[in-house]
Amino acid sequence: MTAYSDLMAFQRETEALAQVMGRLGWDQETMMPSGAAAQRAEEMGALETVLHARRTDQRLGDWLEHAVAPDDVAAANLRHIRRSFERSRRVPARLASELARVTSRAQGIWAEARANEDVAGFLPILSEVVALRREEGAALGEGADVYDALLEGYEPGTTSSELTAMFTALRPRLVALRDRVLSAPEPAQLTGIFPEEGQMILADVCARAFGYDFTRGRLDKAVHPFSSGSGLDVRITTRTNPADPFNCIYSTIHEVGHATYEQGIDSAHFLTPLGQGASMGVHESQSRIYENQLGRSRAFTGWLYGRMRDIFGDFGIDGEDAFYRAINRVSPGFIRTEADEVQYNLHVLLRFDLEQALMRGDLQVQELEAAWNDRFLADFGRPVDRPSHGLLQDVHWSVGLFGYFPTYSLGNVYAGCLHDAMRRALPDLDGDLARGDASGAVQWLRDRLQRHGGLREPRDTVADAIGGGPSEGPLLDYLETKFGSLYLA
Amino acid sequence: MTAYSDLMAFQRETEALAQVMGRLGWDQETMMPSGAAAQRAEEMGALETVLHARRTDQRLGDWLEHAVAPDDVAAANLRHIRRSFERSRRVPARLASELARVTSRAQGIWAEARANEDVAGFLPILSEVVALRREEGAALGEGADVYDALLEGYEPGTTSSELTAMFTALRPRLVALRDRVLSAPEPAQLTGIFPEEGQMILADVCARAFGYDFTRGRLDKAVHPFSSGSGLDVRITTRTNPADPFNCIYSTIHEVGHATYEQGIDSAHFLTPLGQGASMGVHESQSRIYENQLGRSRAFTGWLYGRMRDIFGDFGIDGEDAFYRAINRVSPGFIRTEADEVQYNLHVLLRFDLEQALMRGDLQVQELEAAWNDRFLADFGRPVDRPSHGLLQDVHWSVGLFGYFPTYSLGNVYAGCLHDAMRRALPDLDGDLARGDASGAVQWLRDRLQRHGGLREPRDTVADAIGGGPSEGPLLDYLETKFGSLYLA
């Protein structure tokens, strides 16, 4: 027991320091004065050095060797710490620091290239990032698949072949649904100007409707919406655009999904490896089920219509049904982050296939733009019109996030399964949502999934919640039913 | 050179981590959700553990032994690092952790005792704190005076005998001035309600007038005004009370004094030991000269009167002269933090003498209340009416801050000297201040003092700025002239 309790005392400090890093990131995006960026980089760099040293500290190896797990919780803690320790030690310090240096530079070059539609200006640094991440993947994998080794960092216990099976089943039905929907008449679109103060009031109302605990968090504006922190301090941000209140509302509900997951974890796991969401994919399942299956449902949007009218008066959409259609409007577009439920996963699948090929050496960086554009034409039925609508649109690859994209679609698949099970368990859910009351849904997710944090492996976390292995079927059925009735009825 | 550059690279990270601690403190007072306090304590505790380990790291001893200083700046850096290292190592880890534990507990007990006017409830824990700090002072002093060893932590290079000489000269003239002023007719007092939004606009206007750089800082509301951070990120807070806009304005100007000092330090000292104010006393000289000699001057208050009327309309004070008198109103009071320029230092001198006696064992904690009340009667001419107006009023002793109080009065003495020299160098200063332009004064302070940061010892920092050794004379002359003309003319 001594080795285990020493280990956990050390780990608790590491978790607390990791939370501090989260505070700095939050502050940077919300409160930090513009002229403080150079200092913030030094502050975060120094803290990262401390964290890296702790994560590779040789004492961890000794404690792990002698620690005995008295119960499931302890076994799970040891599993997390061992995985982190072994992964951290496999990456040579030289490579880790090179990656930090190059990706930091690459992010700036990417932003400039995107602004200038300049693919050629981005590819050289992307090649460097790709080479370094392939090297890292090889070190992490120790002979196993490079891409799976990277994926493991975001979605432990999940392999690319499992995802490929899932996504291969998704793609044709999504392409077909997209085709049919976009051939149907377009519904009315929201127009007009919606004052930002009113949007923030709505954001607050929606956050509360979805169970966000403001005594352990706060809601601010930022350029990019995000959720930050675990435990007793989980903060979210949203953004406002006078022409697009839906963006503010649904960004907020999405982040509330992430945040209430963290807030819903059993306090026994506070500042332990279990005190955070199980994986990126499981996290995304929470944000997406809040945002889409619940937040964009006919029942909830009916209630939301009333709140919109309370704040903005008559805004030109006549009735709850038209409002529901406007919110769930599907239109041709190039940008993943703006995509509707029907098309979103097609964007992700495209990136998943391309990044696997890049990591495995089956696709060269010089061939990437052509590959992107070919695939986009095949799945979306029209050509990419400019690089910022194509391969320059996402920041992810510039900062080395290979293996991250598929967790978005995995999260949607999980959300589909959870929604299916939740509907069976809560027959009156729509009645509640129609009154703006998502507490039943939130409580169901909390009891079945959120409270366990990282206790179980990600896939098992979802499987236990739904009572069986997750699959893509429920998501597809849900989408075909919903958008069938919206567009094809 | 290698030992020196290795040392400075290590130190730079330590400085950056210390800045992170400052961010957490700022966040706690301004942004942190109420329910996050327990987590924040863990975060700051973990970071403090990291900082303590770095400040006592044996490598520092090795580097210090071999480092060669190529110039004055390097010599000053080595002086600071050596002082910190030696002080940190003299305090046994057991004692440091006991002090942290006991003072953390004592702060809560003090707050409750103050609320309940319960001296007896506070004295037992105060005895513990006193005993621990005496033990620490003995360890730090290694045979030298216990109080001086503690004072050295706040005001390096200054001894209690120097301060005693200065304060012994201050006290009778201040007591006499207080007597004469309080015998004169009272000037008109500000009354009415001043909306808090208007106060915050004024706070912003005043901060800008005194050169606060908002691109490297920000102004928020908090329960207690403070300045936090160094380098490129120096944030201030203020507070608002609808009945008392002067509190908001002068708290802001005071904190701007601290903050612009930090902002005015030569960027060459960024994230080095020289990149912060020279000491608590020198810091206080900046905050007090901004607040009092400049901010409460007839010239500046004349301009401020116009800004108050712009925002609040006619608020019942008729004309600049009456406004100046209202701002500089002297009235009987018990509380140090609310004291005017005439009485403030008498509060400090009382504490200085009592805390020296406590630390040297010449006064027992059980005798403290009687000693406080006797001294208060002697210097303020009336008895303390309740403990929260007496020895329970300040948090300082509960958190172990013995040796800190005198830096407040030392700062006022330094401010008097700097003001005297500044007036000689800037004959048109009042003309500028009457237009709300403090830039000449700010620039003079920056050139003569602020930019050097910790390059020189605190007293030398002031002596170099004023061209000679500092003394209490200029402060006394200034106070007698100002309040003589206000009350006795």
Side-chain angles (χ1 to χ4, degrees), chain A residues 12-13 16-17 19-20 23-24 26-27 31-36 38-40 42-43 46-47 49-50 214-218 230-233 235 270-271, chain B residues 12-13 16-17 19-20 23-24 26-27 31-36 38-40 42-43 46-47 49-50 214-218 230-233 235 270-271:
Chain A
R12 188 178 180 90
E13 282 187 348
L17 293 167
Q19 289 297 312
V20 172
R23 304 289 159 256
L24 293 179
W26 172 86
D27 182 85
M31 299 293 159
M32 190 183 80
S34 60
Q39 178 160 337
R40 181 53 49 89
E42 299 262 359
E43 292 168 2
L47 190 53
T49 300
V50 169
F214 278 90
T215 70
R216 296 183 291 147
R218 48 181 294 140
S230 297
L232 305 178
D233 196 350
R235 305 181 187 186
F270 180 59
L271 292 182
Chain B
R12 189 180 180 89
E13 282 186 349
L17 293 167
Q19 289 297 310
V20 172
R23 305 288 158 257
L24 293 180
W26 173 85
D27 183 84
M31 300 292 161
M32 189 182 83
S34 60
Q39 178 160 339
R40 180 54 48 89
E42 298 262 359
E43 293 169 2
L47 190 53
T49 301
V50 169
F214 277 89
T215 70
R216 297 182 290 148
R218 52 181 292 139
S230 297
L232 305 176
D233 197 348
R235 305 181 187 185
F270 180 60
L271 291 182

Side-chain angles (χ1 to χ4, degrees), chain B residues 16 21 44 74 116 130 176 239 242 316 325 328 333 362 386 388 433:
Chain B
M21 186 68 103
M44 294 178 85
N116 299 327
V130 166
R239 61 181 159 200
R325 285 171 190 277
N328 286 288
D362 300 334
R386 69 192 77 157
S388 65
L433 293 174

Side-chain angles (χ1 to χ4, degrees), chain B residues 64-190:
Chain B
L64 283 166
E65 195 180 324
H66 297 103
V68 178
D71 54 30
D72 284 1
V73 167
N77 276 319
L78 290 177
R79 188 182 74 236
H80 279 275
I81 298 169
R82 182 170 287 119
R83 181 146 52 196
S84 159
F85 177 64
E86 289 175 355
R87 282 181 69 88
S88 302
R89 284 169 53 98
R90 283 180 195 159
V91 181
R94 189 263 320 149
L95 177 56
S97 118
E98 184 82 352
L99 259 166
R101 201 180 56 71
V102 171
T103 55
S104 161
R105 199 156 54 89
Q107 189 172 0
I109 295 173
W110 162 77
E112 205 181 319
R114 187 174 67 158
N116 299 327
E117 305 288 357
D118 177 18
V119 173
F122 178 53
L123 294 187
I125 190 87
L126 179 62
S127 296
E128 284 187 60
V129 175
V130 166
L132 289 167
R133 282 289 272 167
R134 291 185 68 195
E135 187 182 347
E136 189 188 22
L140 288 168
E142 295 187 325
D145 182 64
V146 169
Y147 187 81
D148 278 351
L150 298 173
L151 176 62
E152 176 84 3
Y154 310 109
E155 202 63 32
T158 298
T159 64
S160 56
S161 62
E162 287 166 19
L163 293 176
T164 299
M166 209 173 244
F167 295 166
T168 301
L170 270 182
R171 189 177 166 204
R173 283 171 67 181
L174 290 178
V175 169
L177 180 61
R178 188 197 64 73
D179 265 353
R180 283 187 295 146
V181 164
L182 286 182
S183 315
E186 276 196 49
Q189 188 174 358
L190 190 72

Side-chain angles (χ1 to χ4, degrees), chain B residues 342-387:
Chain B
V342 172
Q343 298 180 90
Y344 186 84
N345 292 297
L346 290 173
H347 285 281
V348 174
L349 270 45
L350 177 161
R351 289 154 179 76
F352 173 60
D353 286 338
L354 295 182
E355 70 178 21
Q356 285 184 84
L358 280 174
M359 285 300 109
R360 295 191 181 118
D362 300 334
L363 180 71
Q364 302 308 309
V365 166
Q366 292 304 327
E367 308 162 335
L368 180 61
E369 186 179 22
W372 179 296
N373 292 348
D374 289 349
R375 170 69 173 257
F376 190 85
L377 182 62
D379 281 5
F380 292 84
R382 59 198 191 119
V384 171
D385 65 345
R386 69 192 77 157

